[in-house]
Amino acid sequence: MVRCREVYEAICCRTDERVQVEVFHRLLQRTDLSKVVLNQIAEHVDSADGFLSKLALYKALALIALAQQGKQPSPKLLENCIQELPKPLLGEPRDLNSLRMQPAQEDVLTLSLTLDRLLARDTVQVELIPEKKGLFLKHVEYQVTSQHYKISVYRRYSDFDVFHEVLLQKFAYRVVPALPPKRMLKGVLTSVSERDFIEGRRRALCRFLNLVARHPFFSEDELVKTFLTFSGSDVQSKLRDTYKKTGDEFMTNRIATQAKEYLPADIQAQFSTSRELIRNIYNSFQKLRDRAEKMAERSKENATDLLMFGRELSTLGSDASTLPSLASSQSTWGTLRQSLKSLSVEFAVLSDKAAQQGRREEDDVVEKLNLFLDLLQSYRDLCERHEKGVLHEHQRALHKYGMMKRQMMSATVQPKEQGSVEQLESRIVQQENAIQTMELRNYFSLFCLHQETQLIFTYLPITSHILGAFVNSQVQGHKEMGDVWNELQPKLGCLFGGNNGLKPPI
């Protein structure tokens, strides 16, 4: 006979205090009881979400023991077992270990994400609030609203700067988007350009926060939560204190020191291939963005031209000068002049529609392209950090270690004081530990790079979002402009009489 505790310890989950139902069914098959009896026992077993609790297993084992004794496996019979539950015949406990279901090997390297799931993590709005003017300077403040946390907080650029600093310190092996510049060069741009600069910076800060708030590895981190929700007086100190409590990701990630075990053998080749591919993608998207910006700018210029065209018609119509008697059209000019004056309204509407078109192209197309470009640029920055940071430091440490070993060999050949030799030995041991840590960090850096590369490819379907936004903006813009032009055409025919160069509608 085997004790219930021994059975439980042999078949319970290693990561859970419960027993999987599948494992319990395997256990039943070892009892040699009839199928009818096994079904009766199974009916009396309490299980939830595919698991048996420890108590439920003990009761089930007692029912098995009753059945093996030739009794009816009924819970009512257990009520008579006051001191001890009956023990089943299941063989040696060590033989039961094979029944335990081994957990599937966790695939910690692969990201199983879609673009829609990433975008659904959060949407952050960044809006300018009225400037606060001091005695000598003025500063810009932003209202930051997180859809995920359902809260709005107020931040200055310096808050963004500290947030970016600690985020980069903690997640040095991840894609952390860059911040836009704080200032523009004084005396170079006009006041209008300054407003454009501030608006461009607001857009860039919004893109930065959305990329951060949607990142699969630090979107739920305490640093991000603090920046998006903390409404205290000193968010910068709060952010620094939060980082100091945890350290960087290498210190907190549970598989950081085992990263090498999860990396594919050809990781360096994969990295080189992916990096080149992403570089080409970046170049193509940069050209797309430049063209989209020009189209949006042309729409705005078209709006200005249409408005000025209408104003010039109004100016022409407002000229009250009398035509000389020799002018053959003197009799009709007065009527025509009034008609020209009224047309400025239609051209103002056309100008407004063209301006709306430009804003749509800028908000829906250019901004999406800039978002993806920001992510691609942060990946390129990450690759440089990996090569110039981790790898370079590792090589320097190895070089220093080699010099120490040569000094040690020299010390053994040429007798020196015992204290200096022991000190050198201690330094060598310290350097060996440092090299070991750097090697672990190097592998973890490669591990993170592999995941961040997957993140870039997860974002690639945003191309369809961009194309859809571009097509929709063009369809809507041309339709709205076409409607106004179609309304204007018959008015011209009525005002001027005849076709006068107007083609009849098809």
Side-chain angles (χ1 to χ4, degrees), residues 57-227:
L57 176 68
Y58 280 15
K59 289 182 177 180
L61 293 175
L63 292 176
I64 292 174
L66 290 175
Q68 289 175 333
Q69 295 171 13
K71 299 176 183 178
Q72 183 71 18
S74 171
K76 291 184 179 180
L77 291 179
L78 297 180
E79 297 174 2
N80 300 326
C81 304
I82 300 175
Q83 294 183 343
E84 189 178 11
L85 292 173
K87 302 179 184 63
L89 298 172
L90 296 171
E92 292 295 324
R94 62 176 177 271
D95 296 333
L96 301 178
N97 287 326
S98 61
L99 298 178
R100 181 192 284 128
M101 293 182 66
Q102 299 297 327
Q105 181 66 33
E106 186 180 6
D107 188 3
V108 295
L109 186 61
T110 304
L111 297 184
S112 56
L113 286 172
T114 64
L115 177 61
D116 290 340
R117 285 174 60 191
L118 279 175
L119 298 180
R121 283 175 173 260
D122 200 358
T123 297
V124 183
Q125 299 292 335
V126 177
E127 300 296 339
L128 286 167
I129 62 174
E131 293 179 351
K132 294 184 178 181
K133 297 182 179 180
L135 293 176
F136 302 104
L137 52 85
K138 57 183 180 179
H139 66 262
V140 177
E141 197 166 10
Y142 304 93
Q143 183 182 42
V144 177
T145 305
S146 165
Q147 194 175 87
H148 175 67
Y149 291 108
K150 296 178 174 58
I151 190 173
S152 293
V153 292
Y154 296 94
R155 298 286 181 258
R156 294 179 59 179
Y157 182 88
S158 57
D159 300 327
F160 280 89
D161 196 27
V162 171
F163 177 49
H164 180 265
E165 174 191 328
V166 294
L167 201 63
L168 196 54
Q169 288 174 349
K170 183 168 185 178
F171 297 100
Y173 309 125
R174 303 288 182 185
V175 286
V176 179
L179 286 180
K182 182 178 181 179
R183 298 185 181 90
M184 57 185 179
L185 296 175
K186 293 184 178 180
V188 176
L189 303 177
T190 64
S191 58
V192 174
S193 296
E194 182 179 359
R195 287 196 296 270
D196 291 341
F197 171 81
I198 292 174
E199 170 60 15
R201 189 175 66 182
R202 180 198 68 80
R203 289 175 178 269
L205 291 174
C206 186
R207 296 194 301 270
F208 163 77
L209 282 185
N210 276 285
L211 288 172
V212 167
R214 294 166 180 169
H215 193 283
F217 293 103
F218 51 75
S219 59
E220 298 294 334
D221 187 79
E222 193 63 28
L223 285 175
V224 178
K225 183 178 180 182
T226 298
F227 187 83

